[in-house]
Amino acid sequence: MDRLVSRRQVARVSGVAVVVLALTALLTVLSGYAQPPQPPPVDEGTGAHIFQLSIVALVPMTLLFLATADWTRPLRSARPLALAAVIVSAAFVALYYGEHYYWYAQH
């Protein structure tokens, strides 16, 4: 019985999706620095929702990647995860800095 989609293809697509979702989260946070400050009370806005959705979507994509990756080659398989981890960490650092220092000083 032929498979329509191979395990390798699923791993490749989910690996790319993990990195794209991480980049989406980071770019969304960085785009907030270009926005003019808003007076309190501030609605979170579209950017915050995009950030939240991309972080939530990372969970099932990461699990899918972990389930389908070729772990006989661990360094090659771990590359997308490592890249996504660095990008997501940068997104959360930028978010923390923005909320506690940058946007706070703008008010």
Side-chain angles (χ1 to χ4, degrees), residues 47-66:
H49 296 294
I50 292 171
F51 173 80
Q52 293 163 356
L53 289 171
S54 63
I55 294 299
V56 168
L58 268 170
V59 175
M61 255 329 116
T62 302
L63 292 175
L64 180 63
F65 178 78
L66 289 171

Side-chain angles (χ1 to χ4, degrees), residues 24-92:
T24 301
L26 177 61
L27 293 175
T28 302
V29 172
L30 294 179
S31 72
Y33 285 95
Q35 303 297 320
Q38 298 177 358
V42 177
D43 179 31
E44 286 184 327
T46 306
H49 296 294
I50 292 171
F51 173 80
Q52 293 163 356
L53 289 171
S54 63
I55 294 299
V56 168
L58 268 170
V59 175
M61 255 329 116
T62 302
L63 292 175
L64 180 63
F65 178 78
L66 289 171
T68 58
D70 179 14
W71 293 110
T72 60
R73 302 166 81 182
L75 289 177
R76 183 175 179 165
S77 295
R79 245 184 270 161
L81 293 179
L83 181 59
V86 169
I87 295 169
V88 168
S89 297
F92 277 104

